[in-house]
Amino acid sequence: MRPLAMVVGGSRRVGRGVALELARSGFDLIVTYHTDIRGARETESMAIALGAKVDLHKMDLNHSNIALDGVRGLGLEKLDALIVSAAVWEKDCNTGADMDQAERCMRVNARTPIELARTLAPALNQSSLQGGACVIAFGDIHVDFRPLKDFKNYLASKRALHSGFQALALELAPKIRVNVIVAGVIDWPESMPQVERDAYVARVPLGRVGTPHDAAALVRFLTLEAPFITGAAIPLDGGRSLGNEVG
């Protein structure tokens, strides 16, 4: 029987790259999406071409109870990997809606992913992977590096994710491994101007930003080749968090 992975936010970019890498590695998939059904179907077609069986599942991490009820409704008896790629990344609104934004960031980026892992723990506990099932989410280097101006709500939620996943590593051991990939730029945000992109790359020792393939390769390693790693926060940033300031 092929192992099964759930990729939360697998309709494009990093999530799609992860889904396709796992399909290439012999996994069947549950790919979740929020609104991008077209992208999700494209991911599905690509993964099927790689030999995977794929189920699509609509999920809104901002509505935690509905998301968790939907996952329970899948009736999964066994799950081998849970990869959370979906997130909200936006500047602080600094208006009367700031509190609403803070709550939304916290739900999408931390609370729902944490509770999703807990909800799926019985199925994850049944994994036959070496070292047990693997749970991974994507964090951000700026949590422990240099804060981004005007992103306090986003960064607070990512710090909560980092801390919550470390606690989960203890809670879900010994049969489930839990790690965070602490990412720099992995594929450019579509809204970032070229001048800002050039300035960022000049501060990356390896001279480029990451790609979905870079992220997917690390996910594959943690899932299939790292049975003794849990509770880790692993940088994926080309050395950006070393603080290099010259090109």
Side-chain angles (χ1 to χ4, degrees):
M1 179 181 293
R2 292 166 62 97
L4 177 64
M6 178 181 289
V7 180
V8 179
S11 61
R12 61 194 184 104
R13 294 166 61 88
V14 171
R16 174 179 287 176
V18 168
L20 296 182
E21 182 66 23
L22 292 176
R24 241 179 246 111
S25 301
F27 281 77
D28 289 331
L29 301 170
I30 300 169
V31 174
T32 86
Y33 65 96
H34 179 202
T35 58
D36 188 7
I37 180 60
R38 180 177 178 178
R41 286 174 176 159
E42 289 174 354
T43 301
E44 177 186 31
S45 295
M46 294 178 198
I48 289 173
L50 294 169
K53 176 183 175 183
V54 184
D55 291 323
L56 299 183
H57 180 70
K58 184 176 176 61
M59 180 184 293
D60 182 357
L61 297 180
N62 189 39
H63 293 89
S64 302
N65 290 336
I66 295 173
L68 297 176
D69 285 345
V71 164
R72 293 185 189 100
L74 295 175
L76 297 177
E77 295 183 0
K78 186 177 86 162
L79 184 65
D80 298 283
L82 169 65
I83 316 299
V84 182
S85 175
V88 58
W89 182 86
E90 57 190 26
K91 284 188 175 182
D92 299 333
C93 58
N94 292 321
T95 67
D98 186 72
M99 186 61 70
D100 291 338
Q101 182 192 50
E103 287 295 320
R104 183 173 68 257
C105 285
M106 195 63 71
R107 282 191 298 270
V108 172
N109 293 345
R111 290 177 187 162
T112 307
I114 289 167
E115 291 307 317
L116 191 59
R118 285 183 171 139
T119 298
L120 289 168
L124 290 162
N125 269 318
Q126 300 306 309
S127 174
S128 56
L129 291 184
Q130 182 185 12
C134 192
V135 175
I136 301 170
F138 285 86
D140 194 296
I141 61 168
H142 291 281
V143 167
D144 293 316
F145 177 42
R146 296 180 179 175
L148 293 169
K149 183 181 179 182
D150 298 326
F151 282 88
K152 68 179 183 300
N153 292 328
Y154 165 78
L155 289 176
S157 67
K158 286 296 187 178
R159 181 173 291 280
L161 174 73
H162 290 197
S163 298
F165 263 49
Q166 284 185 325
L168 274 179
L170 295 174
E171 179 181 329
L172 301 182
K175 293 185 177 181
I176 303 170
R177 295 167 289 131
V178 182
N179 296 292
V180 174
I181 294 174
V182 186
V185 174
I186 306 295
D187 210 354
W188 292 113
E190 295 172 0
S191 60
M192 183 176 284
Q194 188 62 46
V195 64
E196 293 184 20
R197 298 184 185 194
D198 293 342
Y200 184 94
V201 169
R203 293 177 172 85
V204 179
L206 294 187
R208 66 175 179 89
V209 299
T211 67
H213 175 74
D214 293 319
L218 182 52
V219 167
R220 183 192 183 284
F221 169 74
L222 289 171
T223 302
L224 292 175
E225 301 176 31
F228 201 53
I229 296 178
T230 195
I234 301 173
L236 184 68
D237 65 357
R240 175 68 185 101
S241 56
L242 297 175
N244 185 41
E245 293 299 332
V246 296

